[in-house]
């Protein structure tokens, strides 16, 4: 069990295994097998490294912003709550993950839901959320594992299917699709963008004055955006606090460095995405031919960021400031304060805007990412009592798919 958990925590290993099997099933030459497996493993590792760099900068920004504006409350963090509860519910969650993977492959083989969810680290978090709810209702391990596996395994196949048309509009092919923990936001956001947006005003085609033409470069735009956010927050927080956070480094030097590091992390992650998709898509065809003929791989949303960089940037900002607005609104209506998860705002907010833009242009991007930011705060606030018994104070599950699934399980099984 410990080895299984260790492998699942490193999705790059799962990707390498899928690539290896796919190439072997296609009877590729040994050199092609070694090259493809190594490059897919390397590409996904680059995504992880880039994500780690992004997370480090966003963590520092979150600390500065929270201190500057005195934000206190519950922080949605899947990694944190999993680490705190792994001894309590980790064994059941791991088994749910295993059986969910098997069910996903079976559904892809036997039904029209021919999508295999490869973002397995997200499914691990979802397994923890489902286990926590069922255990909190007093269910035994057998019932918890059966119910959790059936629900999550079905989710892994069905939700990428529901998102397939929207994904195809962005990716421009059916070689792969999106499988992420905020698909609820993407599905609703795409619909709202179509109804209230204007597809002709594509965010990626926004005209920029020649004087600020440097913003056309996504790396420059990303660096300058983080620089502005960090500078404003740092000025309010004070140079002393920032210097202390930076281990004595000069305030302005630290701010400049963090802005460039953030852009570099995103660049590494996007380079990894390109390398990863180049290898995994053809290799997956060999894997699916054996286990689920015709199946399509579902991958992380970072694959979209290079396709619509303007939308991703708009989504991050809108999602983040929507979350900040919720901090001040929620106490007025009796809800607990949820501090915006910066990484979730960046990834899920950016992706929500990309989906909204694909159906409703700039207005759709804003509406979709605003919805995402609201759900990232509202759903954790509503489901917080479901996880109180775990004893993980100050932290809860983050993404809309985890929290909405938890609420549905609780609404159904509280009667039993």
């Amino acid at each position: 069990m410990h080895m299984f958990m260790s492998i699942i925590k490193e999705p790059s290993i799962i990707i390498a295994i899928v690539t290896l099997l796919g190439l072997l099933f296609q009877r590729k030459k040994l050199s092609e097998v070694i090259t493809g497996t190594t490059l897919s493993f390397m590409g996904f590792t680059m995504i992880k490294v880039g994500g780690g760099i992004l997370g480090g900068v966003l963590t520092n920004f979150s600390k500065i912003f929270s201190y500057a504006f005195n934000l206190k409350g519950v922080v949605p963090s899947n990694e944190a709550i999993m680490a705190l509860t792994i001894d309590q519910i980790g064994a059941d969650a791991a088994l749910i993950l295993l059986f969910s993977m098997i069910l996903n492959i079976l559904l892809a083989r036997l039904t029209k839901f021919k999508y295999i969810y490869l973002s397995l680290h997200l499914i691990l978090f979802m397994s923890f959320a489902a286990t926590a709810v069922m255990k909190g209702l007093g269910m035994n391990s057998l019932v918890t594992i059966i119910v959790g596996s059936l629900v999550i395994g079905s989710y892994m196949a069905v939700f990428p299917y529901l998102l397939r048309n929207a994904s195809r509009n962005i990716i421009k092919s059916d070689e792969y699709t999106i499988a992420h923990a905020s698909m609820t936001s993407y599905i609703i956001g795409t619909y709202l963008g179509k109804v209230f947006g204007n597809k002709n005003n594509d965010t990626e085609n926004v005209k920029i004055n020649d004087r600020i033409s440097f913003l056309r470069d996504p790396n420059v735009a990303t660096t300058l955006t983080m620089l502005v956010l960090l500078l404003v927050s740092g000025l309010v927080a004070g140079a002393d606090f920032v210097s202390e956070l930076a281990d004595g480094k000069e305030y302005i030097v630290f701010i400049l460095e963090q802005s460039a590091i953030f852009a570099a992390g995103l660049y590494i992650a996007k380079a990894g995405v390109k390398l990863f998709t180049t290898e995994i898509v053809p290799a997956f065809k060999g894997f699916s031919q054996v286990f689920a003929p015709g199946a399509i791989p579902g991958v992380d949303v970072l694959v979209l960021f290079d396709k619509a960089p303007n939308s991703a940037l708009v989504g991050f900002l809108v999602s983040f400031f929507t979350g900040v607005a919720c901090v001040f609104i929620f106490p007025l209506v009796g809800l607990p304060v949820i501090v915006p998860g910066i990484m979730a705002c960046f990834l899920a907010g950016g992706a929500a805007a990309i989906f909204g833009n694909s159906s409703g242009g700039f207005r759709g991007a804003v509406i979709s990412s605003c919805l995402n930011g609201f759900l990232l705060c509202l759903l954790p606030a509503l489901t917080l009592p479901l996880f109180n018994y775990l004893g993980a104070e100050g932290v809860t599950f983050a993404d809309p798919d985890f929290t909405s699934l938890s609420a549905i399980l609780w609404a159904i099984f509280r009667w039993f």
Side-chain angles (χ1 to χ4, degrees):
M1 185 61 68
H2 177 72
M3 181 177 290
F4 177 72
M5 289 286 285
S6 298
I7 292 174
I8 293 304
K9 286 181 182 177
E10 296 294 336
S12 54
I13 297 178
I14 296 292
I15 295 299
I17 292 173
V18 170
T19 306
L20 174 64
L21 292 175
L23 293 172
L24 288 174
F25 293 146
Q26 294 181 71
R27 299 181 179 179
K28 296 290 186 180
K29 297 178 181 178
L30 179 61
S31 60
E32 293 178 308
V33 172
I34 294 173
T35 300
T37 303
T38 302
L39 290 179
S40 67
F41 179 64
M42 178 183 168
F44 205 91
T45 301
M46 287 173 67
I47 298 173
K48 180 182 175 182
V49 170
I53 294 171
L54 293 171
V57 176
L58 291 173
T59 297
N60 287 330
F61 170 60
S62 181
K63 290 177 180 178
I64 295 171
F65 190 87
S66 297
Y67 181 83
F69 299 99
N70 196 29
L71 296 184
K72 296 180 180 178
V74 178
V75 178
S77 173
N78 302 312
E79 292 84 357
I81 195 168
M82 186 182 80
L84 292 171
T85 60
I86 194 166
D87 291 334
Q88 291 176 261
I89 59 177
D92 287 355
L95 288 172
I96 288 176
L97 174 62
L98 174 62
F99 293 125
S100 296
M101 290 164 56
I102 295 171
L103 179 58
N104 183 194
I105 293 171
L106 288 174
L107 289 173
R109 182 180 181 90
L110 302 173
T111 72
K112 67 178 181 180
F113 304 114
K114 295 192 175 298
Y115 297 88
I116 295 181
Y117 199 116
L118 293 182
S119 305
L120 295 178
H121 57 299
L122 299 175
I123 296 301
L124 178 60
F125 299 145
M126 181 175 279
S127 298
F128 268 79
T131 304
V133 171
M134 297 298 287
K135 288 288 188 179
L137 291 171
M139 301 295 171
N140 61 37
S141 291
L142 180 61
V143 172
T144 297
I145 292 168
I146 291 174
V147 171
S149 300
L150 289 173
V151 171
I152 294 176
S154 299
Y155 159 86
M156 292 167 73
V158 173
F159 269 66
Y161 172 82
L162 297 177
L163 195 62
R164 70 193 187 284
N165 290 331
S167 296
R168 187 188 302 117
N169 287 339
I170 302 167
I171 298 168
K172 307 301 181 185
S173 79
D174 287 316
E175 289 187 327
Y176 59 92
T177 191
I178 298 303
H180 192 250
S182 295
M183 287 190 284
T184 303
S185 289
Y186 308 152
I187 292 169
I188 299 173
T190 301
Y191 174 76
L192 292 178
K194 184 177 182 180
V195 174
F196 299 106
N198 182 355
K199 193 174 181 179
N200 294 325
N201 294 330
D202 193 316
T203 310
E204 304 309 311
N205 296 331
V206 172
K207 293 183 179 179
I208 298 177
N209 189 291
D210 288 340
R211 292 180 181 179
I212 55 173
S213 60
F214 53 83
L215 291 176
R216 289 194 182 99
D217 188 310
N219 299 311
V220 175
T222 300
T223 303
L224 294 180
T225 299
M226 284 308 301
L227 179 60
V228 171
L229 292 174
L230 285 164
L231 274 176
V232 172
S233 303
L235 286 171
V236 179
D240 291 340
F241 177 81
V242 176
S243 295
E244 183 181 347
L245 182 65
D247 294 326
K249 190 174 291 186
E250 284 294 328
Y251 159 78
I252 191 64
V253 173
F254 178 71
I255 295 296
L256 289 168
E257 188 180 57
Q258 290 291 293
S259 303
I261 288 173
F262 182 84
L266 183 57
Y267 184 86
I268 292 170
K270 290 194 292 188
V273 164
K274 185 176 181 179
L275 189 61
F276 157 69
T277 52
T278 299
E279 298 301 329
I280 189 64
V281 170
F284 186 83
K285 292 178 180 177
F287 177 87
S288 64
Q289 284 171 4
V290 174
F291 295 102
I296 297 171
V299 298
D300 195 270
V301 290
L302 264 174
V303 300
L304 301 180
F305 277 50
D306 208 31
K307 299 179 182 297
N310 291 352
S311 300
L313 197 56
V314 168
F316 167 45
L317 295 174
V318 171
S319 185
F320 172 65
F321 286 111
T322 300
V324 172
C326 290
V327 169
F328 300 100
I329 295 172
F330 280 13
L332 303 179
V333 294
L335 289 173
V337 172
I338 303 294
V339 178
I342 309 297
M343 194 65 177
C345 290
F346 177 72
L347 286 176
I354 292 171
F355 278 103
N357 178 67
S358 71
S359 63
F362 179 77
R363 195 186 307 157
V366 172
I367 292 171
S368 183
S369 52
C370 184
L371 169 73
N372 179 79
F374 181 62
L375 292 180
L376 284 173
C377 290
L378 178 65
L379 292 175
L382 294 176
T383 57
L384 186 61
L386 306 186
F387 309 116
N388 282 343
Y389 83 98
L390 293 172
E393 296 183 5
V395 67
T396 189
F397 291 99
D399 298 86
D401 292 0
F402 304 160
T403 44
S404 57
L405 173 70
S406 299
I408 292 170
L409 286 176
W410 177 84
I412 295 173
F413 288 92
R414 68 191 180 99
W415 301 106
F416 292 88

